[in-house]
Amino acid sequence: MMEIGILGGTFDPIHNGHLQLAQHAMEQFQLDKIWLMPSPNPPHKVGKKVTDYAMRAEMVELAISGFLHFERSDFENQRGGKSYTSDTLQALREQYPEIQFSFIMGADSLYEIETWHRPEVIFSLVRILVAMRDYQKEHRELSVQSKYLREKYLADIEFISYPRVDISSEQIRQLCIEKGSIASYVPAKVLEFIKQHHLYQ
């Protein structure tokens, strides 16, 4: 059975940290492919300015052009409506019953996942691969949180070991506003696209 890792996100813009996380997840868990899935209508971004989907999707395509086993997935955009992870994963399972999916997320999402739409469905459908990185709010130990979720939802949770990248898409957008350099944080083709389309100014 083919095993595919899903890395979803707003990707506004996609950056090197996303790519490194995906690469380490693929190697550590011997995944066949990584699908990077831009979210067209992220529920947690309602009321916030988000770059047009077509541009964010194009940046993802440019970023992964050198990665043989990475693909951009427009699955959520084709479905339409709000991009609830539970609905997306359920639709993926129905459409691709022959594929085993793993869902890649940051540690922050592991703490917040019970606030997501139907978390019990998410845990029932996929293995969760968690990036071990700092979380800004007060919380219990990551091992305690994962144990709690495993016991409550029978969740399959594994941790990705990878060098932490101290940058976020939000910080990159702010650097662009401040006319700072983002060359070390995004692939060269993405940087060229941002400049060409005068994004984040």
Side-chain angles (χ1 to χ4, degrees), residues 41-50 82-84:
N41 299 297
H44 63 291
K45 298 286 186 177
V46 172
K48 297 181 180 180
K49 183 180 178 181
V50 178
K82 289 186 178 179
S83 306
Y84 288 122

Side-chain angles (χ1 to χ4, degrees), residues 24-122:
H24 279 81
M26 189 179 76
E27 293 173 356
Q28 185 176 336
F29 295 98
Q30 299 180 326
L31 304 175
D32 295 294
K33 289 184 178 181
I34 299 288
W35 287 358
L36 290 95
M37 191 176 293
S39 176
N41 299 297
H44 63 291
K45 298 286 186 177
V46 172
K48 297 181 180 180
K49 183 180 178 181
V50 178
T51 302
D52 181 72
Y53 175 83
M55 285 192 165
R56 292 185 286 114
E58 180 63 22
M59 285 190 282
V60 170
E61 194 66 37
L62 291 169
I64 65 175
S65 59
F67 293 84
L68 181 62
H69 299 288
F70 288 8
E71 294 181 10
R72 187 191 82 199
S73 171
D74 292 318
F75 189 81
E76 281 195 327
N77 188 52
Q78 292 166 358
R79 289 184 65 242
K82 289 186 178 179
S83 306
Y84 288 122
T85 299
S86 58
D87 294 344
T88 297
L89 295 177
Q90 197 159 38
L92 281 169
R93 171 61 64 85
E94 292 170 1
Q95 186 164 332
Y96 302 101
E98 74 284 3
I99 295 176
Q100 179 69 46
F101 289 104
S102 295
F103 189 75
I104 302 167
M105 65 170 61
D108 51 350
S109 295
L110 193 67
Y111 287 107
E112 297 167 1
I113 195 167
E114 286 192 289
T115 68
W116 291 17
H117 185 247
R118 300 194 301 163
E120 70 282 357
V121 171
I122 297 173

Side-chain angles (χ1 to χ4, degrees), residues 46-199:
V46 172
K48 297 181 180 180
K49 183 180 178 181
V50 178
T51 302
D52 181 72
Y53 175 83
M55 285 192 165
R56 292 185 286 114
E58 180 63 22
M59 285 190 282
V60 170
E61 194 66 37
L62 291 169
I64 65 175
S65 59
F67 293 84
L68 181 62
H69 299 288
F70 288 8
E71 294 181 10
R72 187 191 82 199
S73 171
D74 292 318
F75 189 81
E76 281 195 327
N77 188 52
Q78 292 166 358
R79 289 184 65 242
K82 289 186 178 179
S83 306
Y84 288 122
T85 299
S86 58
D87 294 344
T88 297
L89 295 177
Q90 197 159 38
L92 281 169
R93 171 61 64 85
E94 292 170 1
Q95 186 164 332
Y96 302 101
E98 74 284 3
I99 295 176
Q100 179 69 46
F101 289 104
S102 295
F103 189 75
I104 302 167
M105 65 170 61
D108 51 350
S109 295
L110 193 67
Y111 287 107
E112 297 167 1
I113 195 167
E114 286 192 289
T115 68
W116 291 17
H117 185 247
R118 300 194 301 163
E120 70 282 357
V121 171
I122 297 173
F123 288 123
S124 72
L125 292 172
V126 294
R127 172 176 59 173
I128 304 295
L129 304 182
V130 183
M132 300 183 68
R133 65 188 187 200
D134 290 341
Y135 183 52
Q136 300 303 317
K137 301 175 184 177
E138 292 185 11
H139 57 82
R140 52 189 165 191
E141 292 291 333
L142 195 57
S143 59
V144 175
Q145 175 68 1
S146 60
K147 182 175 185 291
Y148 159 73
L149 293 172
R150 288 186 183 111
E151 291 177 350
K152 181 174 180 179
Y153 298 98
L154 300 179
D156 184 1
I157 300 171
E158 302 280 357
F159 292 98
I160 306 166
S161 299
Y162 83 112
R164 191 183 71 199
V165 178
D166 289 319
I167 196 65
S168 67
S169 295
E170 183 179 2
Q171 290 170 319
I172 289 171
R173 295 195 300 271
Q174 188 59 40
L175 276 172
C176 289
I177 292 171
E178 297 169 355
K179 309 297 183 185
S181 173
I182 62 170
S184 60
Y185 301 122
V186 299
K189 291 181 180 179
V190 174
L191 177 61
E192 183 179 344
F193 185 90
I194 290 172
K195 290 180 176 178
Q196 178 184 351
H197 294 277
H198 307 289
L199 298 181

